[in-house]
Amino acid sequence: MAAAETGLEGVGATAPPRPDAGTQRAELLPLLGAALRPGEAWFLIDSRWFKQWKKYVGFDSWDLYHVGEPNLFPGPIDNSGLFADSEAQTLKEHLIDELDYVLVPTEAWNKLVNWYGCIEGQQPIVRKVVEYGLFVKHCKVEVYLLELKLCQNSDPANLVSSYFSKADTVATIEKEMRKLFNIPADQEIRLWSRYMSNTYEQLSKLDSTIQDAGLYQGQVVLIEVKNEDGTWPRQSSLAKSSTATRSLTTSSKSPASSCSSVVASSTITNGDSNNSYGLNCSSLGKGGSSYSCNSYNNRESLPQTQPGLCGLSNLGNTCFMNSALQCLSNTPPLTDYFLEDKYEAEINQDNPLGMRGEIAEAYAELIKQMWSGRHSHVAPRMFKTQVGRFAPQFSGYQQQDSQELLAFLLDGLHEDLNRVKKKPYLELKDANGRPDVVVAKEAWENHQLRNDSIIVDIFHGLFKSTLVCPKCSKVSVTFDPFCYLTLPLPLKKDRPMDVFLVFADPQSRPTQYRVVVPMMGAVSDLCDALSKLSGIPAENMMVTDVYNHRFHKIFQMDEGLSHIMPKDNIFVYEVCKPKEDSAECVTLSVYFREKKARQSNATPGTILYGQPLLLSISKHKITLDYLYSVILERISRYVKLSLVEEFSDVSANHETCNGASGVSEGEIEEMEHQNGEEENREKVLETDTCQSEDCIQDELGKEDLQHRKRLFSFSLVNSYGTSEINSLTTEGKVLKLSSHATLAIDWDSGTRKMLFDDQEAQAFEKHNSMFQPQKKKTTVALRDCIELFTTMETLGEHDPWYCPNCKKHQQATKKFDLWSLPRILVVHLKRFSYNRYWRDKLDTVVDFPIRDLNMSEFVCDPAASPYIYDLIAVSNHYGGMGVGHYTAYAKNQLNGKWYYFDDSSVSPASEEQIVTKAAYVLFYQRRDGEAKRDPSPCTSVELTSEECDGMDTN
């Protein structure tokens, strides 16, 4: 998990020559496009540093001539922005590929390190490529390693954290534990994984991978050493216990393996005397797990509970799965089908699109546990392992989407239980003017020729899709099956942004404002909104992204706000242009640096600290003396000139900000003197040399500072502040600096400690806008979302339709209608939106009915029976994009009461609690006789809706 960068001593003198920009591009381009191969090592690089490198060498496609930007020298590789703890160098949670970091292969990393070096004191972030999936192989870099807590049986409270790859084997864990606890190789041991405080499973197959063994983030693994008399400590402790124990082998259903339950004191059954289902222990399924284990539970079985009120343990970011499973578990026709063992006769092991029946077997086993009435909660470990084997995206322990899992699970169950053994080839037909009722019947019958399962019976409905060519008016009508409705939500038109305004008045603290800007607006809109609150003219503002005490980006007024992410530290500077012609002014970036003495004879290192400055100065006034006096005035609020002789602690009770994104100042950055960067100097600096010391005079300095030693010196640096282009020592003469220039003011440690008040430098005020209540969220009715879904739209230029009449692609109009609806209507509220720069969650409250949802008005089949639905379950998502927590509300079919399912916790709920902004996936059950009848295929269009199973096709 740790990741850091290593420094290079004396880079300027000893580093090998760096190739020119063209050579760097040519060497890295093929490497960055390399395919992932299992077992290879790849390295993480902070995307901000990598983007700076790409600009520097002209790597991006928009750099038509590939000339790059020489003034953007990136300096040493800097990964500090990826760390939650800069000392322990642990990665932040929820980092996103390409957005927060980039992955490069070993050879590319080595080249970049040779060319640029690394920040001193950090280690490279190296990760393995891991292969996922059983049939469809899928490789990905395992960015987050799995943390296991290791302990000895003799001292279970002493837990030692250790990190492993999911591709490591159980033997690797054993080796690490022997090393940690000094257990000789010749001593016989056993490994146990602990799932709850009193439930253990033996890890007996050493060549099984951690992934296949189903171990999850934070799981406890215990090592047991055999006694000298040949007994095992855990056996002797269990023998003294009067509570029930069991040994369960959860291996594949094959001639060589079986599923058995052996009970020490009394028989444990999964049945319920009040439950007519009569459940028995069954195995996970054919080919289920690739390893076997023994488990025991040294607690007494729980008293009888209401069947179905069974929580699901969180195995490590698996709340999304638990939420989806609780919704499906409380879907009566599907659960009855599995509890009554009807699935056994319909398992299709030969379907090439299925999972050999293993998903159906695993789901059935889990449902039987949840509805046995014997458990307050169960751990769905084996079900998750099975899902991960067939769907690699769900194999890890990162947060996923409950709707995406539902889609996979419904499709997987359908193919595992498909009654069609050999699917015929069918050619899609257009309506070509035929009546809708005929085309719809034909489409549904064709669908059932290839797809016939309990999932089709319960969940499938039929869309009507109408496309009209804008040129020839050709109308194309098709009917397509669906398993769930994905409904759009009205998009937000604006967004709040928290920004800091840095005033030109040096005595005013920065102030934090909350402004409301258009969602797709420009930086100029941000400035206009901020101007209304602050009174500062928008034309005097410069918007910046401050990162690690430096300017990561200075925005242009016409740039889109979509480039600004919610986590960015946005600082808006008031830049007062001099009264002279603004064309004669330059805007300079100024960084604070502290010089750190090095142990060797190499060049002293520096660290950036504090809040950078933006100064607008007339070109003809830029002398060192003038710069010094202007900067001294700008920092006078937190540089205490009266404290030169003695230092006094000043404690202020206020909030602080530094734009550092959690990165400490202690990360020393090696200064690389660019002896060969002549073009940089020529571009940003032209000076008239002065050999005489007589020209050193302090014309504009204050009289009391004329003979005082300067508090800091100047250097011309790259935009990252990590590479020195030139030292500014020429006194008296005008410096010819352009707006591309970045200056560093270098302080020695003693002067900074004595004079620089870090607390005051980081202090800021909060504007009233930060305390005003947020705009009340608009409530949207579910019918509004349905109407939006069925509204005619014009296809985009990148998504045209091929018109068979025109023989070319056209931007046709498209309209969806609902032709028939299923017994169980699953409604997915599309809360998450994505684009290149922006990922957002819409937290609009959708007002959906608990009962009496009348969908008849939205069904275009004129012969359809009424469609009245009642809510039976809701999957909730709390939190933002890529993070958060999933729960579920569900109605128990046996007592008709609502319950709240939060992982292993189950609690009663009222109908008033259900409609919230967290509602994500809704489950509705049709209110008619069909819901209580056995499914049978619909074969005739003349059948009434009461006679047709699953959906109307009239």
Side-chain angles (χ1 to χ4, degrees), residues 20-48:
D20 59 28
T23 303
Q24 292 184 45
R25 289 196 308 271
E27 291 190 20
L28 255 64
L29 183 60
L31 298 179
L32 297 177
L36 298 176
R37 293 183 177 85
E40 285 185 344
W42 283 59
F43 292 77
L44 275 72
I45 298 179
D46 191 311
S47 62
R48 300 199 183 208

Side-chain angles (χ1 to χ4, degrees), residues 774-790:
Q774 293 289 311
K775 182 180 176 182
K776 190 175 181 181
K777 303 295 182 184
T778 305
T779 300
V780 176
L782 181 63
R783 64 175 295 111
D784 295 335
C785 301
I786 301 172
E787 288 175 353
L788 188 60
F789 173 78
T790 56

Side-chain angles (χ1 to χ4, degrees), residues 385-619:
T385 300
Q386 289 295 77
V387 168
R389 294 173 67 228
F390 294 99
Q393 66 269 32
F394 301 119
S395 61
Y397 291 92
Q398 295 190 37
Q399 185 67 277
Q400 302 287 346
D401 188 295
S402 66
Q403 187 272 332
E404 290 179 3
L405 179 74
L406 274 170
F408 162 78
L409 188 52
L410 288 174
D411 186 60
L413 289 174
H414 160 63
E415 296 294 358
D416 269 6
L417 299 168
N418 199 343
R419 303 174 186 117
V420 178
K421 304 304 180 184
K422 187 175 182 181
K423 296 188 177 186
Y425 171 77
L426 298 171
E427 187 174 347
L428 296 177
K429 295 181 182 179
D430 194 78
N432 288 325
R434 292 181 295 162
D436 283 350
V437 65
V438 174
V439 182
K441 176 179 181 293
E442 178 183 82
W444 180 249
E445 289 177 346
N446 285 343
H447 179 58
Q448 285 199 311
L449 287 175
R450 293 175 56 87
N451 304 279
D452 183 17
S453 70
I454 183 65
I455 303 300
V456 174
D457 298 340
I458 295 173
F459 292 98
H460 283 206
L462 208 60
F463 282 138
K464 176 186 176 183
S465 175
T466 306
L467 287 158
V468 180
C469 177
K471 299 298 182 183
C472 69
S473 299
K474 159 72 177 174
V475 178
S476 172
V477 177
T478 57
F479 289 83
D480 302 295
F482 68 89
C483 191
Y484 50 85
L485 282 180
T486 295
L487 300 183
L489 273 63
L491 290 175
K492 291 190 294 185
K493 296 180 180 178
D494 50 40
R495 62 184 271 211
M497 288 182 64
D498 294 352
V499 301
F500 294 93
L501 178 59
V502 181
F503 297 98
D505 178 6
Q507 299 306 313
S508 298
R509 289 177 174 174
T511 301
Q512 188 179 28
Y513 290 82
R514 178 167 293 152
V515 295
V516 178
V517 296
M519 181 68 75
M520 303 308 294
V523 171
S524 57
D525 296 313
L526 167 60
C527 294
D528 290 339
L530 186 56
S531 178
K532 291 177 182 178
L533 293 178
S534 65
I536 303 299
E539 58 268 22
N540 287 356
M541 294 180 181
M542 293 192 71
V543 180
T544 71
D545 177 2
V546 176
Y547 176 73
N548 285 359
H549 314 284
R550 55 176 73 112
F551 293 119
H552 175 64
K553 183 174 178 61
I554 298 177
F555 294 94
Q556 301 298 317
M557 283 294 186
D558 59 352
E559 288 192 70
L561 291 175
S562 58
H563 293 71
I564 299 178
M565 303 299 291
K567 66 176 184 177
D568 292 340
N569 294 304
I570 301 302
F571 285 77
V572 181
Y573 287 78
E574 180 189 6
V575 180
C576 291
K577 303 284 179 68
K579 294 180 181 179
E580 298 92 342
D581 183 3
S582 60
E584 295 299 314
C585 297
V586 294
T587 301
L588 304 176
S589 303
V590 180
Y591 297 163
F592 292 85
R593 299 193 308 183
E594 179 181 347
K595 292 179 288 189
K596 292 285 189 180
R598 297 288 296 275
Q599 299 300 319
S600 66
N601 294 326
T603 307
T606 64
I607 62 167
L608 289 173
Y609 70 95
Q611 185 69 31
L613 305 175
L614 275 180
L615 303 177
S616 184
I617 303 178
S618 297
K619 288 182 178 179

Side-chain angles (χ1 to χ4, degrees), residues 60 154 299 307 854 871 921:
D60 287 312
S154 58
R299 71 174 175 180
N854 191 343
L871 189 73
V921 184

